[in-house]
Amino acid sequence: MNTLFDKVWQQHVITGAENEAQLLYIDLQLIHEVTSPQAFEGLRQAGRKVRRPDKTFGMMDHNVPTKDIHTITDLVSKKQMDTLRQNCAEFEIELCDNGSKNQGIVHMVGPELGLTQPGKTIVCGDSHTATHGAFGAIAFGIGTSEVEHVLATQTLWQKKPKTMGIEITGTLQPGVYAKDIILALIATLGVDFGVGYAVEFYGETIRSLSMEERMTICNMSIEGGAKMGMIAPDEKTIDYLKGRPYAPEDIEMYSKTWLDLKTDAPSCYDAYRHLDISALSPYITWGTNPEMGVSIEDAFPKITDHNDQMAYDYMALSPGQFAKDIPIEYVFIGSCTNGRLSDLKEAAAIIKGKTIDPKVTGIVVPGSRPVRKAAEAIGLDQIFIAAGFEWREPGCSMCLGMNPDQVPEFVHCASTSNRNFVGRQGKNARTHLCSPAMAAAAALHGHFVDVRPLVKERA
């Protein structure tokens, strides 16, 4: 009797005793321009080659400008991007270069190309690598020295974590989304509930979600302290992968093996949590970490410690206020959490035929070039532009402020990204995490509103 995680882990152990660090075989390493330069330099100094270039894939995302993608004014960003391009050429690694047909955020491009598959071990020098766990893969972020180790050996030493099963039950109300599930879970359990665990999300609600929604859930498992988030593969997983460039041509031959990757019984988990989302409302964050969140209906909580006080001071908010009291002047729709086509469709449906508040600056950044092209093919770009949004090129953009897209100082931003840390989106920027529909509605009104009536209105 084993969990999904145990099954995949055991298939990849090369050596090492239980309860000690074990050497894992790594099926896929994704690299980007920020965390890979030192790793490649380490290879050169040691006179080593990349062990399996065919199991490594490079992408430009963090530093990419989204207004003019080929004009890079920041010298550090330009150096990092040029270096990745040179490294991939020298070590014969395939690269989704800036402006190329598949370029985009690493955690979106992997699934879109079919590189991400059930049962794989996947690493990247980026914490949100957990996203790929939505396919039944063990996927996690690693440090630069570990990036070098994988490049040189295609292996990695890791101590096996414990397992936690999180059962999600109930049916989502119209206007409530996967983003609200994970924000509510973190607000309920805290930013450290998953520390030391590989978390598997399961239950009737998870089964009902699309692959894109499942990726949103796993993407933010790291914000609850878990290194890895996983969802067992099912027929939706198989259907998503069919026909993708790097997925197996004879995918049916793989499907039985993939579908066998599931937890044998809930009793296999080391820990168990449960969340019923039947009455879940849209969530937003009021503070400076993802745990500081409330439903649209609830008042901001009382101050219980110094961290709360610091958060309220930084955000210029007070206990007892509501989400509607936050003056939104910036809206960002994008990121590896919510920059997929389905996210853009939901946001566009909210703002279609309307105009955003004149004091709001709104930008829409598709997470990848294929998503951008697909959105333009059905006219989403024109809906956003007509409403007053800027329609941008793909990239990480405002999620982390490592490129020109930053929130002005002391401005409140409704953001579909994954982190609301101090200074994350720019110096003294005030970030409020929410779903794409909630962000779109906030752009229209200049403050947060309950998006459920707007969704029901269009149904």
Side-chain angles (χ1 to χ4, degrees):
M1 300 286 281
N2 282 307
T3 65
L4 161 65
F5 175 81
D6 292 327
K7 292 177 180 180
V8 179
W9 180 279
Q10 289 165 9
Q11 291 172 4
H12 290 80
V13 173
I14 299 170
T15 189
E18 290 277 348
N19 301 317
E20 296 179 5
Q22 295 179 304
L23 188 65
L24 296 181
Y25 183 78
I26 301 302
D27 293 307
L28 174 67
Q29 175 162 220
L30 304 169
I31 59 173
H32 58 78
E33 72 273 23
V34 177
T35 57
S36 65
Q38 300 93 331
F40 282 107
E41 189 57 31
L43 291 183
R44 288 192 189 89
Q45 291 176 1
R48 290 174 172 167
K49 297 180 179 180
V50 173
R51 176 72 179 85
R52 292 293 300 270
D54 59 318
K55 292 183 177 290
T56 309
F57 205 97
M59 299 168 206
M60 299 281 192
D61 58 5
H62 284 61
N63 287 322
V64 175
T66 64
K67 264 191 173 180
D68 181 355
I69 60 172
H70 297 298
T71 301
I72 303 156
T73 56
D74 184 273
L75 295 181
V76 174
S77 293
K78 187 176 188 307
K79 179 67 173 176
Q80 288 180 333
M81 294 171 71
D82 289 343
T83 299
L84 177 62
R85 193 174 293 115
Q86 294 160 6
N87 285 332
C88 286
E90 179 181 342
F91 291 93
E92 300 181 331
I93 293 168
E94 188 166 353
L95 171 66
C96 278
D97 205 346
N98 190 26
S100 64
K101 67 177 183 178
N102 292 314
Q103 176 251 323
I105 307 173
V106 62
H107 308 310
M108 284 187 54
V109 176
E112 288 172 0
L113 290 179
L115 289 163
T116 304
Q117 296 170 21
K120 279 190 173 185
T121 48
I122 301 172
V123 297
C124 176
D126 188 287
S127 59
H128 293 105
T129 307
T131 307
H132 306 265
F135 290 77
I138 290 179
F140 55 97
I142 58 177
T144 297
S145 61
E146 293 174 307
V147 171
E148 180 183 347
H149 193 282
V150 177
L151 288 173
T153 68
Q154 207 56 40
T155 65
L156 190 63
W157 288 97
Q158 288 286 294
K159 187 169 182 180
K160 186 180 180 182
K162 295 181 290 185
T163 58
M164 177 185 292
I166 301 182
E167 184 178 13
I168 313 292
T169 58
T171 302
L172 288 171
Q173 302 175 56
V176 185
Y177 304 90
K179 183 65 163 289
D180 300 304
I181 294 175
I182 193 64
L183 285 176
L185 188 71
I186 296 169
T188 302
L189 300 180
V191 290
D192 58 356
F193 73 85
V195 173
Y197 289 93
V199 170
E200 180 185 347
F201 302 94
Y202 73 102
E204 59 180 320
T205 310
I206 297 298
R207 288 192 297 273
S208 73
L209 298 178
S210 68
M211 289 307 299
E212 296 192 335
E213 292 171 313
R214 295 176 189 184
M215 283 186 262
T216 295
I217 298 280
C218 288
N219 175 274
M220 289 193 64
S221 57
I222 186 70
E223 311 308 337
K227 191 172 184 177
M228 308 147 189
M230 300 181 77
I231 293 172
D234 58 13
E235 291 294 344
K236 288 182 180 179
T237 316
I238 309 297
D239 289 342
Y240 179 95
L241 288 170
K242 284 179 180 175
R244 296 189 181 270
Y246 290 86
E249 289 185 16
D250 51 348
I251 199 166
E252 298 302 331
M253 188 176 77
Y254 287 79
S255 61
K256 185 182 185 306
T257 302
W258 287 348
L259 294 175
D260 285 340
L261 292 172
K262 55 187 175 183
T263 295
D264 295 322
S267 58
C268 297
Y269 299 117
D270 295 306
Y272 168 84
R273 300 287 186 272
H274 174 249
L275 180 68
D276 181 357
I277 53 81
S278 302
L280 185 66
S281 302
Y283 256 68
I284 64 102
T285 59
W286 59 266
T288 53
N289 71 49
E291 176 184 333
M292 296 175 173
V294 296
S295 82
I296 189 68
E297 301 159 336
D298 294 336
F300 301 157
K302 295 178 180 179
I303 295 171
T304 59
D305 57 29
H306 183 58
N307 289 331
D308 288 347
Q309 184 64 66
M310 289 178 64
Y312 276 122
D313 290 345
Y314 180 82
M315 300 299 284
L317 297 172
S318 303
Q321 287 185 295
F322 290 82
K324 64 180 176 60
D325 299 321
I326 300 172
I328 297 298
E329 295 180 59
Y330 231 95
V331 171
F332 167 57
I333 298 174
S335 85
C336 61
T337 313
N338 284 126
R340 300 177 183 87
L341 185 60
S342 59
D343 300 314
L344 304 188
K345 285 180 178 178
E346 283 299 311
I350 295 296
I351 60 100
K352 186 175 182 179
K354 302 171 184 174
T355 305
I356 65 176
D357 187 286
K359 72 173 180 292
V360 172
T361 299
I363 70 169
V364 180
V365 185
S368 72
R369 193 158 303 284
V371 167
R372 189 176 192 267
K373 288 184 68 176
E376 290 174 347
I378 58 176
L380 299 189
D381 59 325
Q382 296 307 310
I383 292 174
F384 285 117
I385 292 169
F389 279 91
E390 295 179 39
W391 179 250
R392 298 289 189 85
E393 296 282 344
C396 289
S397 183
M398 194 173 285
C399 175
L400 76 169
M402 290 185 71
N403 50 72
D405 299 350
Q406 297 190 17
V407 177
E409 200 168 9
F410 305 119
V411 167
H412 291 268
C413 175
S415 177
T416 66
S417 54
N418 42 51
R419 287 181 175 158
N420 53 335
F421 302 158
V422 169
R424 169 81 175 178
Q425 292 190 308
K427 182 182 178 182
N428 291 318
R430 293 164 174 162
T431 301
H432 303 277
L433 306 179
C434 61
S435 72
M438 284 290 288
L444 295 177
H445 295 269
H447 59 83
F448 283 111
V449 299
D450 190 337
V451 78
R452 287 174 294 183
L454 299 178
V455 172
K456 291 175 183 175
E457 181 182 293
R458 75 168 198 258

